[in-house]
């Protein structure tokens, strides 16, 4: 995989429901004050802020490394906002678990806030909250967060060329331990944060159909699991 260069900005891709809240705590500990969040505010329809001028200036002067961490989606994607970006890290998980975790997160948000928001507008939960329809019909969102075009023929090449590391949430502490060595940082215990309760399960037929539709996502996930098997 790519060797980390502290003179270049490190982009941390927070893929929703992949331990990002916990991972954010670690990155803040490692990079502060050179840490910058990158999140589109869907409730107020606001774009992510650019890094403060002093962070960029001090980074260029070699005072501290800079890490920009966030969702990088659609109009605030890496290609649009940071087209020169070359080194990345992220954490992923079993694609089905991502799908289910997002489903229950939306249910939790509806219960707590009474509404879901997208680009400043209130929206309904997709598929009427039917968990089988959600699993069978909703596409996995893993690929849209990757900074380069990726397919079955090139996914390992892209990962090795652009990523310093890809962790997996199912082995998150080991992932953090490995990443800390690559970044020359002190490892730390990963907190478990932002977990949503689960009250139901999809049918076996829905699970089967989901896995059949997302072979590339599972190939990427399995490759990431291999990367995190040892230090």
């Amino acid at each position: 995989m790519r060797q980390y260069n502290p003179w270049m900005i490190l982009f941390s891709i927070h893929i929703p429901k992949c331990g990002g809240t916990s991972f954010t705590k670690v990155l803040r500990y490692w990079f502060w004050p050179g840490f910058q969040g990158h999140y589109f505010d869907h409730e107020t329809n606001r774009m992510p802020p650019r890094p403060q001028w002093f962070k960029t200036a001090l980074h260029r002067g070699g005072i501290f490394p800079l890490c920009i961490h966030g969702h990088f989606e659609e109009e605030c994607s890496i290609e649009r906002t940071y087209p020169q970006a070359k080194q990345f890290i992220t954490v992923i998980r079993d694609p089905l678990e991502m799908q289910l975790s997002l489903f229950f997160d939306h249910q939790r948000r509806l219960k707590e806030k009474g509404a879901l928001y997208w680009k400043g507008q209130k929206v309904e939960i997709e598929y009427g909250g039917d968990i089988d329809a959600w699993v069978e019909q909703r596409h996995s969102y893993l690929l849209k967060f990757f900074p380069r075009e990726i397919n079955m023929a090139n996914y390992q090449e892209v990962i090795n060329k652009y990523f310093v590391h890809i962790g997996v949430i199912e082995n998150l502490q080991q992932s953090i331990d490995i990443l800390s060595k690559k970044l020359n940082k002190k490892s730390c215990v990963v907190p478990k944060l932002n977990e949503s309760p689960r009250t139901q399960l999809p049918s076996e037929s829905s699970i089967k159909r989901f896995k059949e539709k997302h072979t590339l996502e599972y190939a990427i996930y399995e490759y990431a699991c291999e990367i995190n098997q040892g230090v």
Side-chain angles (χ1 to χ4, degrees):
M1 301 186 76
R2 184 182 184 92
Q3 184 174 356
Y4 172 58
N5 181 352
W7 293 93
M8 296 171 58
I9 297 174
L10 178 66
F11 291 87
S12 173
I13 302 169
H14 174 185
I15 300 172
K17 311 318 300 174
C18 288
T21 304
S22 302
F23 193 37
T24 300
K25 290 276 189 180
V26 174
L27 293 175
R28 284 184 183 274
Y29 169 69
W30 281 347
F31 286 96
W32 189 262
F35 176 88
Q36 177 70 38
H38 180 96
Y39 291 95
F40 188 97
D41 189 330
H42 283 287
E43 189 166 342
T44 60
N45 199 28
R46 292 181 181 177
M47 290 286 287
R50 304 288 290 188
Q52 293 97 321
W53 68 268
F54 74 89
K55 291 187 178 184
T56 304
L58 292 175
H59 170 69
R60 289 174 178 170
I63 305 302
F64 56 69
L66 183 58
C67 175
I68 300 178
H69 171 74
H71 284 324
F72 299 104
E73 56 185 328
E74 297 186 351
E75 60 265 48
C76 53
S77 67
I78 286 173
E79 291 88 345
R80 293 188 179 187
T81 53
Y82 298 99
Q84 303 303 316
K86 293 182 179 179
Q87 63 176 3
F88 307 94
I89 57 175
T90 192
V91 175
I92 65 176
R93 73 192 298 182
D94 182 306
L96 176 63
E97 286 299 308
M98 288 175 55
Q99 201 85 333
L100 292 175
S101 185
L102 186 65
F103 175 84
F104 289 110
D105 179 68
H106 281 195
Q107 287 196 329
R108 177 181 61 82
R109 290 174 186 270
L110 274 174
K111 184 176 180 180
E112 292 177 355
K113 294 188 175 184
L116 296 172
Y117 291 89
W118 184 258
K119 296 182 179 179
Q121 301 295 320
K122 289 184 178 181
V123 296
E124 300 293 330
I125 191 169
E126 294 175 87
Y127 309 105
D130 184 314
I131 191 170
D132 282 335
W134 179 284
V135 169
E136 289 185 27
Q137 300 177 37
R138 195 179 197 277
H139 288 290
S140 170
Y141 54 88
L142 174 62
L143 300 182
K144 75 175 186 177
F145 285 92
F146 270 74
R148 300 291 183 270
E149 288 294 328
I150 197 165
N151 54 52
M152 286 297 291
N154 74 358
Y155 72 91
Q156 292 190 15
E157 178 184 355
V158 170
I159 289 171
N160 291 333
K161 181 177 181 180
Y162 293 103
F163 282 86
V164 174
H165 194 62
I166 293 184
V168 290
I169 195 172
E170 289 84 356
N171 197 5
L172 188 55
Q173 187 62 59
Q174 174 81 338
S175 298
I176 295 301
D177 292 343
I178 296 172
L179 179 59
S180 68
K181 293 186 177 182
K182 291 184 176 183
L183 300 181
N184 195 27
K185 302 290 185 181
K186 183 180 179 181
S187 190
C188 55
V189 176
V190 185
K192 291 184 178 181
L193 303 170
N194 198 29
E195 294 183 341
S196 299
R198 297 188 179 187
T199 56
Q200 55 184 314
L201 293 173
S203 65
E204 290 297 323
S205 60
S206 297
I207 292 173
K208 183 176 183 292
R209 185 173 181 184
F210 176 86
K211 292 183 176 180
E212 289 173 346
K213 287 172 57 180
H214 299 103
T215 54
L216 175 55
E217 288 87 344
Y218 272 100
I220 294 168
Y221 169 68
E222 288 165 6
Y223 186 53
C225 288
E226 292 177 12
I227 292 169
N228 290 280
Q229 285 181 351
V231 179

